[in-house]
Amino acid sequence: MILEFLGTGTSQGVPEILCDCDVCTSDSPYDKRLRCSLALYDEHHNYIIDITPDFRQQMLRSPKYRLDAILLTHLHADHFLGMDDTRKYVRLMEKDIPLYIPQHMERSFRKVFNYTLGKKVPGLYRPRFELIPIKDQKTILLEPFKVTPLPVQHGYYHTLGYLIEANNTKVAYLTDTKRICPPTEKYLVDVDYMIVDALWDDGKNHTGHMNLEEAVSLIQTYKPKQAYLTHITHFMGKHEEKNATLPKNIQLAFDGQKIHF
């Protein structure tokens, strides 16, 4: 079973448009970051957390031949505005894609992507979703994975992280996180891998995201065996240089990186 980082960048990606900083002009492939998304798959199943505006590019770079379900963390543009590009999977699999979405965001999703939810019209080539609102922290069974929603605070906005379990391995995925909500705390104990939002390393506070110092503090609190940082801006610095300054059990993730378990 594999977890793959489809994207590890923040909302503007790296490089940013019209930026000539050392990171944005770097030749290293590790400094090329698409918007933040994660794939969970084995030989027979494929699930994706967040469908970014870069989804098409992510699938061209790392093809997935089926899409069994989508889980959304929240409805900010960089996490769900690639939904239209899932239409190919609807056509190939000849079925609607189950879409797990925080219940309080369902109304907003229907406003933006109403055409994906209505009556099927013969001859029209559209994405189609089976909308499944997430109402609580009940575990979702997505064979062979068990996935538990983890409420977190993203500034003034509540989003979802996810606890992913398979093969006696636990992975906590916490993108777009500023603080851990109390109901989530117990799920972060004894995880094997923790994937954590870390926007930058310039000492500045952000209302919706953790900076590097805050992310490292969270990781040291829960002590996973290995932690990876994601949702990264160019203000974090060059990938390889920054990783050299961090403990080996805390590293910046990169696009295309895989965790096998």
Side-chain angles (χ1 to χ4, degrees):
M1 299 176 210
I2 298 172
L3 272 66
E4 180 179 348
F5 292 90
L6 299 178
T8 58
T10 191
S11 57
Q12 296 182 72
V14 182
E16 288 192 5
I17 294 172
L18 300 178
C19 182
D20 60 358
C21 75
D22 288 346
V23 178
C24 289
T25 56
S26 168
D27 292 329
S28 172
Y30 298 113
D31 293 320
K32 312 300 182 187
R33 301 184 185 278
L34 301 178
R35 266 68 74 93
C36 204
S37 180
L38 191 73
L40 330 172
Y41 58 96
D42 65 5
E43 292 181 354
H44 306 292
H45 309 87
N46 180 54
Y47 310 100
I48 294 180
I49 300 177
D50 289 337
I51 303 293
T52 81
D54 298 321
F55 177 73
R56 175 181 173 275
Q57 188 175 348
Q58 290 164 344
M59 292 301 97
L60 291 173
R61 182 189 63 194
S62 182
K64 305 291 182 286
Y65 296 98
R66 55 187 301 119
L67 181 47
D68 297 287
I70 297 166
L71 301 102
L72 294 183
T73 59
H74 63 301
L75 296 190
H76 282 170
D78 54 320
H79 290 263
F80 89 113
L81 283 188
M83 300 296 291
D84 193 78
D85 285 331
T86 63
R87 63 175 64 195
K88 185 72 171 183
Y89 293 96
V90 175
R91 188 171 186 177
L92 289 174
M93 299 178 68
E94 298 183 329
K95 68 173 186 177
D96 298 357
I97 299 172
L99 172 59
Y100 294 85
I101 182 172
Q103 184 181 34
H104 65 283
M105 300 175 187
E106 179 182 355
R107 185 175 180 181
S108 296
F109 184 88
R110 289 183 179 277
K111 285 183 178 180
V112 178
F113 285 110
N114 185 60
Y115 69 95
T116 69
L117 302 170
K119 183 179 180 181
K120 188 173 183 179
V121 180
L124 288 184
Y125 182 21
R126 292 177 174 174
R128 292 190 55 82
F129 304 114
E130 175 194 353
L131 209 57
I132 306 172
I134 297 173
K135 303 176 183 180
D136 50 36
Q137 287 189 270
K138 183 178 180 180
T139 297
I140 302 164
L141 299 178
L142 298 175
E143 186 181 355
F145 302 96
K146 294 195 299 181
V147 181
T148 304
L150 302 177
V152 295
Q153 191 169 348
H154 178 35
Y156 303 107
Y157 193 76
H158 283 85
T159 67
L160 289 179
Y162 290 101
L163 177 68
I164 302 153
E165 299 178 78
N167 276 353
N168 296 314
T169 302
K170 295 182 179 181
V171 182
Y173 183 63
L174 304 172
T175 184
D176 288 61
T177 300
K178 181 64 173 182
R179 282 182 289 275
I180 304 300
C181 296
T184 291
E185 293 173 356
K186 64 181 180 181
Y187 292 97
L188 301 183
V189 176
D190 295 328
V191 297
D192 298 283
Y193 298 94
M194 185 176 285
I195 301 167
V196 180
D197 174 353
L199 200 63
W200 51 43
D201 183 25
D202 62 0
K204 294 180 181 178
N205 181 54
H206 189 283
T207 58
H209 297 272
M210 289 183 283
N211 59 31
L212 179 61
E213 182 180 0
E214 292 169 320
V216 170
S217 177
L218 178 70
I219 292 163
Q220 290 175 338
T221 296
Y222 290 100
K223 297 179 174 59
K225 296 175 183 176
Q226 181 68 47
Y228 296 100
L229 307 179
T230 192
H231 214 290
I232 296 165
T233 71
H234 59 168
F235 292 117
M236 182 65 80
K238 291 184 177 180
H239 177 92
E240 292 166 296
E241 292 178 3
K242 182 58 62 179
N243 268 349
T245 70
L246 296 171
K248 290 185 178 180
N249 68 326
I250 303 176
Q251 295 281 279
L252 273 62
F254 59 87
D255 287 22
Q257 185 172 9
K258 297 176 182 179
I259 300 174
H260 297 259
F261 59 96

